[in-house]
Amino acid sequence: MNSLTQYIDLYRQNADAINSHSALIMNEMRPAAASALEGKRLPEKGDEGFKVTSIEKMFEPDYGVNILRMNIPTEIGRSFKCDIPNVSTLLGVVVNDSFTPTSTMRQNLPTGVDVMPLSKACETYPDIVGKYYNKIAPANEPSVALNTMLAQEGLFIRIGRGVHLESPIQIVNIFNSPAPLMGVRRVLVVAEQDSKAAIFFCDHTQTADVKFLSSEIIEVAGEKASELDIYSIEETTPLTSRYSRLFANQENDAKIRVGTATLHCGVTRNDFTINLKGQHSEGYLSGLAIADGQMHVDNCSNVNHLAPHCDSNQLFKYLLDNNAQGAFEGGIYVDPKAPFTVGYQNNRNIVASPEARMHTEPQLLIYNDEVKCSHGTATGQLDANALFYMQARGIPYETARRMLMIAFMTDTLDTIKVEGIKSRLMMLVEKRLGGEQVLCNDCHADCHTNISTPRE
Amino acid sequence: MNQTNPTNDGRNISDKANESLDVLKNATTDEYKYGFVSDIETDIIPRGINEDVIRLISRKKGEPEWLLEFRLAAYRHWLTLKMPDWAHLKIPKIDYQAISYYAAPVKKESPKSLDEVDPELLKTFDKLGIPLEEQKQLSGMAVDAVMDSVSVKTTHSEVLAEKGIIFCSFSEAVKNYPDLVKKYLGKVVSYRDNFFAALNSAVFSDGSFVYIPKGVRCPMELSTYFRINAAGTGQFERTLIVADDDSYVSYLEGCTAPMRDENQLHAAIVEIIVEDRAEVKYSTVQNWYAGDKDGKGGIYNFVTKRGLCRGDFSKLSWTQVETGSAITWKYPSCVLAGDNSVGEFYSVAVTRNRQQADTGTKMIHIGRNSRSTIVSKGISAGYSENSYRGLVSVAPQADGVRNYTQCDSLLLSSTCGAHTFPYLDIKNPTAVVEHEATTSKISEEQLFYCNQRGIPTEEAVGLIINGYAKEVMNKLPMEFAVEAQRLLQITLEGSVG
């Protein structure tokens, strides 16, 4: 008996209802996913790669799942103003796990680009969905199988062959429910040959006094010579838990940059797996976390070099205060078939309070001698000499400290290649470090108001 | 001597280097020179493990009741454990009932002088180049030699005794200094620690015991040579070193075994206690038989080594050169409990053919201002797998901790694996912990540079590897450094390709 049991039972008892509100391709995958879960459990704290985070515990509470697809008003998206300076984005909103494009997106989406609900994509592009859905993520891993078994809806993004999308696609994920809810989020991104695009996810929670769990699987197919930037910001609440897993397959000459920023959350675990399957493909990962209070941020990255002449780089930075817990597990795997690999990984952390905790596990698994690989990690404090230098020049202690913290985060932000997104993140990080509410200008969302007793 | 035409063409450099490497690849592979078997009458108990076997071992050793109880408690705990499987190793199933847990060269009484030691035994240690003979007293090293499971001879005990230093076999220590043994046994590595610690605690048959009294600086290097000789046995020795306040000792261990097709298990425990301002330097040159080129035979070296730096300003330094064993699985560790205590770990681990190693260290910082340095150099060749796994943990109360870890891997073939698994657990905001790791092969530029100056590829590789490992070699006592350097060269001969 573990946390999976309740979900398997839920599926078994409601299979018809689940199927009736979803699409055929997704439904066909459910029985095998349910079977894969039998006798399995989700990772527990202490398991290899999960030293400080228990996924089992995350999924243990009795969350509601919106099987009957009850209508939750999407107007909620209007209160969010996730502004990206000087850039007009193609905005879409996912409330819990249902996607709705905004009118801006509908009107401005260029030919060759599709952003639509996954169920609709199953009808419009059955071949593409059939080719990639549940094929990039390891279907039999419990967290993936759980998502496949229960996912009824999702988001599908296709960047057509040769299309260079100028405006970033911005997806605002919002949790909103009067009762505890698990959002089974599923995303499939297909970047066709020679295409180029940037996708930006903002995660928010509208109802701050309700518990939410996001079970998210993102599958990315990077076809030949495609170039994708995928960035995400999490600004949720202490009662929001998140287990997000991104899997990307990169073909020849494909390039992907993935960035994540965790600014507010409850318990968050992000997994990134990039498979460099084609020659000369590239994968870049970056992450930053600014955590205080009881926040728990755990990022796990795995870059698998499976073909010759591939490059990768990973950079993760954490700033931990109060009782925050941070964790970073990162791996570079070089297959025997992947000579001429260049793979780097870097993790830097600042632990700013006696109660904050940091756990890191950077790993290298190298099976080929034609490689240049390295990793480095350091955990410490702000440079006392630099702090003194600035104070000696009349900068007050607090300001000097904040400036150094921003400087510490800067190289992570520099990995973001879309200027507007970078400026926005910089603004949010500055606000965050200044102790202000992390809100975009004119945003009227109430996710950062004081938390009262949780509603059960 | 290779002649290399200087050229600006990178392709030519590469071709030349490859050609030279092929020559090296085809060179004769060095045979394991310690693979002989000594014809010594040996007392071996029947295979298998149960409470009766443990009682039999204890009876053979004439042990007191408390030690038997310790063994039995360990055995009962071992029965509740499963062999761990988290290491990056492929370990064939071990049948623990197929091992004989006690083998000892037949000897009537403990030898009082060298004349009483079996001449065949002396010959064995002579072959190994170990100065057991008393005329080699001037070599300035006290030696305890452990054959199979028991200590056969300890030299210089009397000289050391004058300074109050106790250096004897574990069995003698149990007889002559029971209070000391009882006080320290299992205090650093409890029998509950892990699967192999429990097994060792149940069946250990001998080992070395060292006690350095307060304020004494041990005048010579202490050394133990471990030798597995009998077939079908395992070796389960135990080393206990206690360095009292303000003392210093440098301890060396070396190990060899015959070439056999079967795998033999070596599951030892080393416990070290370092008191206020004391310093212990523990050096290992591990050269157990590693199996043949197809991975047949060889020793499984599953050892628990841990030191407790209990005293303020205490220091423990581990230096290891690992070239042998079919599978090496060990993490010499420092529990830095004393304020301002220092832990060091310097390691060169070489794997070739089908060898596997998952080794590293743990630095557990509990005391304030404790410091640790880890330098690990892995060299992989053939089809081997070489992993560094290390933990740096900083307790909440450990203010001002400093750690630096550097761990480099050198790959000498395209079929081997080099892996790094560091774990950093920081629970104090004042800690500064750094880890750096790199993995690469010997660069063609380096080889070309040497070739260009008339150094053949074989020598150049040796030179580069010795330079790569120098940081660790420098930490070895002189007596071992030369041997280790030679061992490194011999081990890698014919492995580059």
Side-chain angles (χ1 to χ4, degrees):
Chain A
M1 180 79 179
N2 55 46
S3 68
L4 286 177
T5 316
Q6 59 176 324
Y7 298 108
I8 297 170
D9 291 348
L10 180 78
Y11 168 69
R12 300 256 188 249
Q13 288 156 16
N14 300 283
D16 290 343
I18 290 171
N19 288 341
S20 65
H21 291 91
S22 189
L24 184 64
I25 296 174
M26 298 172 80
N27 291 341
E28 282 174 349
M29 307 276 182
R30 292 184 213 284
S35 306
L37 290 176
E38 294 289 353
K40 300 269 182 61
R41 68 166 172 82
L42 292 164
E44 283 185 21
K45 189 175 170 176
D47 287 356
E48 197 63 34
F50 293 83
K51 288 286 178 212
V52 299
T53 309
S54 173
I55 304 301
E56 183 68 30
K57 209 170 171 191
M58 206 186 266
F59 282 75
E60 207 173 64
D62 184 16
Y63 289 103
V65 181
N66 188 9
I67 289 173
L68 300 175
R69 315 308 298 165
M70 308 252 286
N71 188 33
I72 292 170
T74 52
E75 288 77 22
I76 196 76
R78 289 183 195 157
S79 64
F80 283 85
K81 299 283 183 231
C82 299
D83 58 328
I84 297 183
N86 307 320
V87 178
S88 60
T89 61
L90 301 161
L91 183 68
V93 179
V94 174
V95 177
N96 300 331
D97 47 16
S98 297
F99 168 72
T100 316
T102 59
S103 52
T104 337
M105 179 178 269
R106 279 199 203 97
Q107 287 156 15
N108 298 317
L109 214 54
T111 316
V113 178
D114 293 288
V115 183
M116 60 173 72
L118 191 54
S119 58
K120 190 178 166 195
C122 289
E123 291 160 13
T124 318
Y125 297 107
D127 294 348
I128 297 176
V129 177
K131 185 177 174 188
Y132 294 119
Y133 179 73
N134 209 30
K135 303 287 193 303
I136 299 170
N140 288 329
E141 275 191 20
S143 58
V144 177
L146 176 65
N147 189 287
T148 308
M149 181 178 78
L150 295 178
Q152 292 170 279
E153 194 45 275
L155 171 66
F156 174 79
I157 299 174
R158 182 186 76 89
I159 316 297
R161 189 174 177 149
V163 175
H164 285 209
L165 188 60
E166 285 183 7
S167 303
I169 296 170
Q170 185 184 10
I171 305 295
V172 179
N173 287 316
I174 304 167
F175 267 126
N176 182 39
S177 163
L181 182 85
M182 175 167 87
V184 186
R185 291 173 172 167
R186 190 85 182 203
V187 181
L188 176 59
V189 180
V190 180
E192 293 184 355
Q193 194 170 331
D194 297 313
S195 63
K196 185 176 174 183
I199 303 166
F200 183 42
F201 292 95
C202 304
D203 277 31
H204 300 275
T205 301
Q206 171 68 8
T207 25
D209 56 351
V210 176
K211 278 185 177 178
F212 291 100
L213 170 64
S214 169
S215 159
E216 184 176 55
I217 301 291
I218 303 172
E219 292 178 284
V220 181
E223 295 186 354
K224 280 181 191 170
S226 61
E227 189 174 338
L228 264 183
D229 288 84
I230 300 179
Y231 303 109
S232 73
I233 298 184
E234 186 182 4
E235 294 172 57
T236 57
T237 61
L239 294 180
T240 304
S241 299
R242 159 177 157 134
Y243 187 27
S244 171
R245 305 188 72 188
L246 179 143
F247 300 91
N249 280 358
Q250 297 298 101
E251 293 180 9
N252 286 359
D253 302 299
K255 189 187 274 187
I256 188 168
R257 278 182 286 265
V258 179
T260 182
T262 310
L263 302 178
H264 280 114
C265 69
V267 178
T268 285
R269 161 84 180 200
N270 298 313
D271 287 4
F272 307 96
T273 303
I274 296 183
N275 299 312
L276 300 173
K277 291 188 154 185
Q279 291 200 22
H280 298 282
S281 56
E282 298 170 35
Y284 302 101
L285 278 168
S286 64
L288 70 86
I290 302 173
D292 56 10
Q294 302 290 332
M295 283 171 65
H296 180 119
V297 187
D298 186 349
N299 286 311
C300 173
S301 66
N302 286 297
V303 177
N304 301 317
H305 286 260
L306 306 170
H309 299 285
C310 295
D311 287 9
S312 72
N313 202 343
Q314 303 173 44
L315 175 65
F316 282 81
K317 291 202 166 184
Y318 290 66
L319 199 51
L320 305 170
D321 207 346
N322 304 135
N323 292 298
Q325 166 80 63
F328 170 71
E329 297 91 2
I332 300 173
Y333 168 82
V334 181
D335 197 78
K337 295 191 291 291
F340 312 109
T341 284
V342 178
Y344 300 116
Q345 184 186 69
N346 201 342
N347 167 232
R348 296 281 183 270
N349 315 301
I350 290 179
V351 179
S353 89
E355 281 75 36
R357 303 280 183 264
M358 185 67 207
H359 173 84
T360 66
E361 281 182 50
Q363 306 191 343
L364 296 176
L365 280 113
I366 316 290
Y367 288 94
N368 195 295
D369 64 341
E370 290 286 357
V371 297
K372 277 185 199 161
C373 284
S374 75
H375 67 193
T377 178
T379 300
Q381 306 83 43
L382 291 174
D383 185 349
N385 288 335
L387 209 54
F388 175 74
Y389 180 91
M390 293 168 84
Q391 283 179 275
R393 272 142 191 84
I395 300 168
Y397 174 79
E398 282 304 328
T399 313
R401 207 165 170 265
R402 194 164 67 243
M403 284 168 76
L404 282 176
M405 286 183 179
I406 292 167
F408 172 74
M409 287 299 182
T410 302
D411 52 352
T412 318
L413 296 169
D414 283 345
T415 62
I416 298 171
K417 297 296 172 203
V418 182
E419 210 44 55
I421 296 177
K422 184 172 154 183
S423 314
R424 174 169 183 248
L425 248 175
M426 179 58 98
M427 182 267 291
L428 292 177
V429 166
E430 282 176 9
K431 279 189 174 182
R432 180 75 173 81
L433 292 172
E436 295 175 45
Q437 285 194 335
V438 184
L439 290 177
C440 291
N441 300 329
D442 303 323
C443 183
H444 304 295
D446 66 352
C447 52
H448 304 301
T449 49
N450 290 333
I451 312 299
S452 55
T453 321
R455 271 184 243 165
E456 292 296 338
Chain B
M1 186 166 290
N2 285 355
Q3 293 293 322
T4 311
N5 297 323
T7 168
N8 292 326
D9 183 348
R11 174 177 283 276
N12 288 346
I13 298 170
S14 158
D15 289 351
K16 185 68 196 167
N18 285 341
E19 193 184 301
S20 306
L21 288 175
D22 284 343
V23 174
L24 187 56
K25 194 176 178 183
N26 297 331
T28 46
T29 309
D30 175 63
E31 288 296 326
Y32 183 69
K33 67 174 180 177
Y34 304 110
F36 58 87
V37 181
S38 302
D39 185 17
I40 294 168
E41 200 184 333
T42 310
D43 174 15
I44 302 180
I45 64 168
R47 292 172 187 227
I49 180 168
N50 54 48
E51 291 201 5
D52 290 340
V53 166
I54 289 160
R55 286 197 175 86
L56 178 64
I57 295 171
S58 187
R59 202 162 51 241
K60 274 180 179 287
K61 308 217 53 102
E63 284 175 356
E65 190 60 26
W66 65 266
L67 195 50
L68 175 62
E69 285 308 317
F70 173 82
R71 286 174 181 280
L72 290 172
Y75 173 68
R76 285 167 197 146
H77 181 66
W78 180 73
L79 289 177
T80 66
L81 301 176
K82 272 202 327 204
M83 188 165 142
D85 58 3
W86 45 261
H88 194 75
L89 300 168
K90 285 185 187 127
I91 306 171
K93 196 170 163 44
I94 299 172
D95 182 359
Y96 291 93
Q97 295 301 341
I99 298 171
S100 171
Y101 288 87
Y102 182 85
V106 175
K107 190 70 219 126
K108 303 91 211 169
E109 288 295 317
S110 293
K112 297 271 182 314
S113 78
L114 212 62
D115 301 337
E116 294 177 29
V117 178
D118 187 336
E120 191 66 30
L121 208 58
L122 280 180
K123 224 186 284 172
T124 304
F125 282 98
D126 203 31
K127 270 194 211 173
L128 296 171
I130 298 157
L132 269 191
E133 294 171 52
E134 308 231 46
Q135 61 263 39
K136 287 189 182 165
Q137 271 186 15
L138 290 175
S139 68
M141 193 193 299
V143 178
D144 181 24
V146 177
M147 169 79 94
D148 289 327
S149 295
V150 296
S151 170
V152 290
K153 175 67 187 152
T154 310
T155 63
H156 296 315
S157 296
E158 302 78 14
V159 183
L160 295 170
E162 282 172 20
K163 289 204 169 256
I165 295 170
I166 302 167
F167 178 42
C168 61
S169 73
F170 205 90
S171 312
E172 278 175 56
V174 170
K175 284 195 184 75
N176 300 331
Y177 313 100
D179 292 345
L180 273 179
V181 176
K182 202 171 175 179
K183 185 175 168 189
Y184 293 113
L185 178 71
K187 294 298 182 287
V188 185
V189 182
S190 150
Y191 67 77
R192 293 184 165 273
D193 196 81
N194 65 64
F195 182 84
F196 296 105
L199 179 64
N200 175 289
S201 301
V203 300
F204 75 94
S205 25
D206 214 333
S208 299
F209 178 78
V210 177
Y211 177 79
I212 316 290
K214 280 183 186 173
V216 173
R217 189 180 170 88
C218 187
M220 58 183 84
E221 312 276 352
L222 303 185
S223 172
T224 302
Y225 270 85
F226 296 99
R227 172 82 181 161
I228 295 178
N229 193 50
T233 61
Q235 180 148 315
F236 306 92
E237 84 277 357
R238 213 171 163 115
T239 303
L240 178 53
I241 299 173
V242 181
D244 218 326
D245 296 353
D246 301 294
S247 63
Y248 168 84
V249 64
S250 170
Y251 185 92
L252 301 84
E253 69 168 17
C255 8
T256 57
M259 288 159 75
R260 288 210 175 82
D261 285 349
E262 63 170 359
N263 293 111
Q264 283 179 284
L265 178 63
H266 173 241
I269 288 180
V270 176
E271 291 182 278
I272 301 174
I273 291 158
V274 196
E275 301 286 12
D276 285 352
R277 298 168 301 280
E279 181 178 348
V280 174
K281 196 172 156 68
Y282 194 105
S283 313
T284 306
V285 174
Q286 187 265 102
N287 189 23
W288 294 114
Y289 177 51
D292 67 8
K293 62 180 174 34
D294 300 318
K296 201 168 186 189
I299 304 293
Y300 293 162
N301 188 32
F302 302 159
V303 181
T304 308
K305 289 180 169 182
R306 192 175 304 148
L308 171 61
C309 288
R310 194 157 64 176
D312 292 349
F313 296 95
S314 54
K315 181 176 177 183
L316 171 58
S317 180
W318 297 100
T319 307
Q320 59 173 29
V321 176
E322 303 277 326
T323 60
S325 297
I327 304 175
T328 300
W329 189 5
K330 65 168 188 171
Y331 313 96
S333 312
C334 297
V335 180
L336 301 167
D339 289 350
N340 300 294
S341 54
V342 177
E344 291 178 341
F345 175 79
Y346 297 95
S347 167
V348 174
V350 184
T351 55
R352 61 171 187 162
N353 297 332
R354 303 274 173 181
Q355 273 179 282
Q356 301 177 66
D358 193 318
T359 182
T361 185
K362 292 182 200 173
M363 294 290 172
I364 320 277
H365 291 265
I366 300 169
R368 281 176 298 161
N369 301 320
S370 50
R371 305 190 303 280
S372 61
T373 307
I374 300 170
V375 176
S376 169
K377 306 272 182 180
I379 302 169
S380 324
Y383 294 87
S384 66
E385 296 281 342
N386 198 339
S387 306
Y388 166 82
R389 190 183 299 271
L391 167 72
V392 177
S393 153
V394 181
Q397 74 273 24
D399 291 337
V401 162
R402 187 80 177 83
N403 161 267
Y404 174 70
T405 303
Q406 182 195 335
C407 101
D408 299 327
S409 303
L410 198 59
L411 293 140
L412 299 183
S413 84
S414 57
T415 47
C416 60
H419 320 297
T420 317
F421 307 98
Y423 300 72
L424 279 72
D425 225 345
I426 317 300
K427 294 179 179 163
N428 186 296
T430 61
V432 178
V433 177
E434 290 172 276
H435 172 98
E436 283 175 21
T438 59
T439 303
S440 62
K441 61 185 279 190
I442 292 178
S443 79
E444 281 162 13
E445 284 83 2
Q446 278 178 325
L447 279 178
F448 175 68
Y449 183 90
C450 292
N451 286 161
Q452 207 187 26
R453 276 145 188 81
I455 302 166
T457 304
E458 293 94 310
E459 272 179 41
V461 170
L463 210 64
I464 292 163
I465 287 172
N466 268 315
Y468 169 77
K470 195 176 174 186
E471 208 175 338
V472 175
M473 294 302 194
N474 281 348
K475 298 288 171 183
L476 282 172
M478 183 67 90
E479 290 81 352
F480 262 26
V482 180
E483 186 187 334
Q485 197 158 330
R486 209 172 48 227
L487 192 62
L488 201 63
Q489 262 164 356
I490 290 169
T491 304
L492 287 167
E493 215 166 87
S495 299
V496 182

